[in-house]
Amino acid sequence: MNIRAFTIVLATATRSASAFAFAPQSRSAVSSVYSSRVGVAVVQTAKPLSIRQMSAETTPEPRKAGVSSPSELKDFVSAAGSKLLVVDARHPDSNIEPGDAKSFAVAGLPDAEKGYRTAAVNLPWNRETDSMKLPSADTDKDTPIITHCGGGGRGQKAKDYLEKNGFTNVLNGGGPKETDCWAEFGDK
């Protein structure tokens, strides 16, 4: 069996590492490969391989539908000032929402007693009922609200639900997965 080209690509699973491609310097550098038995191959001759640096960067996953842009969130947070309310739609029990466990490693649930994310409240989105608790009764309907979950799906459902219930100033911020968006309001 003749092989005209031979390439081995070594890729890594980490974001920061690079991948390398090992390939013959020319087509004539590859010789024949013989199989003496199934699963065993012997390379007859080979010339030195060249090593090329290849980018391990991947194209970021697109934002989920409805997630606001970082600049839109920045302007919204600035205009809202101390009136901002952040609605965290993640479920505190990662057995119910296993995907939330990853985002908890980046940002925990709001905890006013500990002074952590004091402008935020946890109002988990319930997939079974397609609903959630509403913000406290004393929350004005024009209060600036940013909803989020881990990456924006339930954040959008929460935004839509709040709007159906009369809230008029609501954006979906995505969540900790959307790092550029999260940077604009995640500490609130």
Side-chain angles (χ1 to χ4, degrees):
M1 166 170 47
N2 288 327
I3 295 180
R4 300 227 186 251
F6 181 72
T7 305
I8 299 173
V9 176
L10 173 63
T12 61
T14 61
R15 291 183 196 157
S16 59
S18 296
F20 293 91
F22 298 86
Q25 293 173 342
S26 68
R27 280 187 111 181
S28 63
V30 176
S31 178
S32 298
V33 175
Y34 297 98
S35 178
S36 58
R37 59 180 186 219
V38 176
V40 177
V42 179
V43 177
Q44 194 175 25
T45 62
K47 291 188 178 178
L49 301 176
S50 63
I51 300 173
R52 292 185 294 138
Q53 184 79 22
M54 291 176 26
S55 173
E57 296 297 319
T58 57
T59 304
E61 203 174 295
R63 284 192 184 88
K64 291 189 177 176
V67 174
S68 300
S69 70
S71 62
E72 189 176 13
L73 288 163
K74 182 177 184 172
D75 293 344
F76 190 80
V77 168
S78 178
S82 63
K83 295 178 182 179
L84 179 68
L85 174 64
V86 177
V87 173
D88 187 335
R90 297 177 296 169
H91 200 286
D93 184 349
S94 60
N95 291 318
I96 293 173
E97 286 288 350
D100 286 344
K102 284 183 187 177
S103 68
F104 290 146
V106 177
L109 292 172
D111 190 340
E113 289 179 17
K114 293 182 181 176
Y116 179 68
R117 299 184 58 215
T118 56
V121 294
N122 181 231
L123 302 173
W125 178 258
N126 185 322
R127 290 183 193 267
E128 291 177 8
T129 63
D130 277 339
S131 66
M132 60 188 272
K133 289 182 181 178
L134 294 172
S136 65
D138 62 339
T139 304
D140 293 331
K141 297 291 184 174
D142 65 345
T143 297
I145 300 173
I146 296 176
T147 61
H148 78 84
C149 56
R154 284 169 292 152
Q156 184 62 39
K157 291 176 188 263
K159 175 187 182 284
D160 293 343
Y161 187 77
L162 289 171
E163 289 175 338
K164 277 195 263 184
N165 283 277
F167 291 90
T168 60
N169 197 9
V170 187
L171 292 182
N172 176 5
K177 179 181 173 185
E178 303 295 339
T179 56
D180 52 348
C181 293
W182 187 253
E184 301 303 335
F185 72 92
D187 62 342
K188 308 291 183 225

